[in-house]
Amino acid sequence: MGTLPKSVRFPLLILMLNLFIALLGQGMLIPILPEYLKLFHAGGTVAGFLVAAFGAAQFLFSPLGGQWADRFGRKKLIIAGMFLSVVSDIIFALSTSLPLLYIARFIGGISLGLMVPANLAYVADITTPETRAKGMGYFGAAMNLGMVLGPGLGGFIAEMGIRMPYFFAAGLGLVAGMLTLLLPETLPPEKRTLPQTKKKGNHLGKHIWSSFQVPYFKYLLLLLVMTFGLMSYETVFSLFAEQKYGFDAATISIIITMGAIIGIVVQIWLLDWSVRRIGEIKLIRLSLIMAPIALLLMLIKVNLVYLLFASALFFAFNAFLRPSVSTLISKNAGDRQGYASGLNTTYSSLGTVFGPLVAGLLFDKNLNFPYIFGAIMLLAAISLTLNARRSKKGLQTTSE
């Protein structure tokens, strides 16, 4: 955080700790879910629907989270999101039936739908256009680190009981909520937006329709297409590495962990430097070329070292993408940072919901198809970076 002013470092550090703990709790649940579902005599189909319920709730509530962050302030929404996350984990831990599991995951999706837009808006509030990419990079790194450490911690705690990681995740959520109380509010009352209308039809569909008119709409589309393509890698990688290379779970975990660590290094130490050198647009274009190349390299079966190299290449350029696009959206959002952050999360969650479904169907046809499809989607997204415009304030938000 060396280039960030002292007034920014403390709240950003608290925000990073908050996100780290929240995502650590989410990551802890991943390795034990298959075993946990056996208690309910359920398997992969139920797991898929649980993921879909989570993603659908996040999609539905992200627009509200963004609007409410502009209306009530960032801090209240972050605290509300953390509280709902705790409720979700407790219900999941105490569940004795599948309907309760679905309710728990839906509430968990609501929590992220409220919290993530507020977090993004908070980062935008405390950074300048020049330092925003660095702030977004730290934001992404904190989330990645939580997801990296979570699975190992979850497996360890599960030795004390299959339900214990869910209780532990709830406890971590409470800690994160307490940390949030230390954050100052960044949106003063005089800058908060009033409800725009109480007209009939002020709902999700109208919200999505209104997003077509915002000056950063093409960046929202870029986020959607990008997320859709990237999910082709994430959704089926374990199955791909097992069936194509014959690797066991331990080896696959090493590859994923190594890739996530590379992503953290890129977002903390290289993202800001790269943006200052070539600008967001050129960095996004470069990443949208190199990430597909990495996906296609994985289709050539060689050995573990080769796959590690291809995966490292993919993770490195993937780490540049989302913070850079989020920075562009934020720079073009003006005073409506919460609204823009809500749209950011909405379009991302759309890709997160539908990307895995397409990847799974393609994988059943041929294990190489998801990676070919992902590469095509990412390359196609380059067209959305053409004809970049300046923001209304005259700031050069892109670099051709």
Side-chain angles (χ1 to χ4, degrees):
M1 296 188 187
T3 61
L4 295 174
K6 290 182 180 179
S7 60
V8 172
R9 293 178 198 170
F10 175 72
L12 188 57
L13 178 61
I14 295 297
L15 201 65
M16 288 172 63
L17 285 171
N18 182 307
L19 285 168
F20 168 72
I21 291 175
L23 271 296
L24 183 73
Q26 290 295 321
M28 282 169 44
L29 312 183
I30 293 173
I32 61 171
L33 183 60
E35 194 66 27
Y36 188 68
L37 288 178
K38 290 180 182 178
L39 298 176
F40 303 87
H41 307 289
T45 301
V46 171
F49 280 118
L50 288 174
V51 173
F54 187 94
Q58 187 177 359
F59 166 69
L60 291 172
F61 281 85
S62 291
L64 286 175
Q67 289 180 331
W68 289 346
D70 282 339
R71 182 181 174 189
F72 300 112
R74 323 306 193 198
K75 184 175 177 178
K76 291 178 182 176
L77 268 292
I78 296 173
I79 292 174
M82 289 309 309
F83 172 75
L84 288 174
S85 177
V86 172
V87 171
S88 170
D89 290 332
I90 291 176
I91 293 175
F92 211 86
L94 297 175
S95 293
T96 56
S97 65
L98 286 177
L100 284 175
L101 294 184
Y102 288 120
I103 291 171
R105 294 311 289 160
F106 195 83
I107 293 174
I110 295 173
S111 75
L112 281 190
L114 298 181
M115 183 169 56
V116 172
N119 275 313
L120 285 168
Y122 198 107
V123 173
D125 288 343
I126 63 176
T127 55
T128 64
E130 293 74 25
T131 61
R132 193 153 301 157
K134 194 173 189 69
M136 292 295 181
Y138 282 125
F139 180 92
M143 297 176 71
N144 285 340
L145 187 59
M147 291 302 292
V148 168
L149 299 180
L153 183 59
F156 174 76
I157 296 173
E159 297 294 323
M160 296 181 282
I162 194 66
R163 296 179 186 266
M164 285 303 296
Y166 298 94
F167 286 115
F168 196 84
L172 288 175
L174 283 176
V175 172
M178 296 299 290
L179 287 172
T180 305
L181 295 175
L182 300 175
L183 287 174
E185 176 56 63
T186 58
L187 187 67
E190 62 271 16
K191 289 190 176 182
R192 297 178 189 179
T193 59
L194 296 174
Q196 291 195 350
T197 179
K198 291 186 179 178
K199 290 180 183 177
K200 201 174 181 180
N202 189 22
H203 48 65
L204 178 63
K206 186 174 181 180
H207 181 82
I208 297 295
W209 179 257
S210 69
S211 72
F212 299 165
Q213 279 84 52
V214 298
Y216 47 86
F217 174 64
K218 66 179 176 181
Y219 300 135
L220 294 173
L221 280 182
L222 175 60
L223 202 60
L224 170 61
V225 175
M226 183 184 77
T227 306
F228 200 90
L230 294 176
M231 288 307 295
S232 298
Y233 169 87
E234 296 177 6
T235 303
V236 299
F237 180 75
S238 295
L239 294 171
F240 175 82
E242 179 188 27
Q243 295 185 25
K244 191 176 186 72
Y245 287 84
F247 294 150
D248 58 17
T251 304
I252 294 170
S253 296
I254 290 172
I255 297 172
I256 294 175
T257 301
M258 182 212 67
I261 291 172
I262 289 173
I264 292 168
V265 170
V266 166
Q267 289 174 333
I268 290 180
W269 284 289
L270 295 179
L271 176 64
D272 182 59
W273 178 85
S274 300
V275 168
R276 283 188 281 108
R277 287 294 297 272
I278 66 174
E280 290 97 343
I281 285 293
K282 287 184 178 178
L283 183 58
I284 291 169
R285 287 174 183 160
L286 176 63
S287 300
L288 289 174
I289 292 171
M290 296 305 298
I293 289 174
L295 286 177
L296 295 176
L297 287 175
M298 292 180 197
L299 304 183
I300 306 171
K301 181 180 177 181
V302 181
N303 54 31
L304 175 60
V305 174
Y306 174 82
L307 184 59
L308 283 169
F309 166 76
S311 297
L313 190 67
F314 175 79
F315 274 105
F317 284 97
N318 177 28
F320 284 125
L321 281 171
R322 186 180 175 92
S324 298
V325 178
S326 295
T327 300
L328 287 178
I329 292 172
S330 175
K331 283 182 176 182
N332 284 273
D335 294 331
R336 301 197 68 192
Q337 293 294 333
Y339 175 75
S341 298
L343 289 176
N344 183 320
T345 310
T346 297
Y347 277 78
S348 295
S349 59
L350 265 178
T352 304
V353 170
F354 293 106
L357 296 177
V358 173
L361 290 172
L362 290 174
F363 186 85
D364 287 341
K365 299 291 183 182
N366 185 294
L367 56 82
N368 293 326
F369 283 177
Y371 291 83
I372 296 171
F373 174 76
I376 292 172
M377 291 292 288
L378 291 172
L379 287 171
I382 295 175
S383 63
L384 295 169
T385 68
L386 302 178
N387 301 319
R389 297 182 301 177
R390 293 174 182 266
S391 69
K392 290 182 180 179
K393 293 184 179 180
L395 292 169
Q396 182 68 43
T397 61
T398 61
S399 181
E400 292 291 345

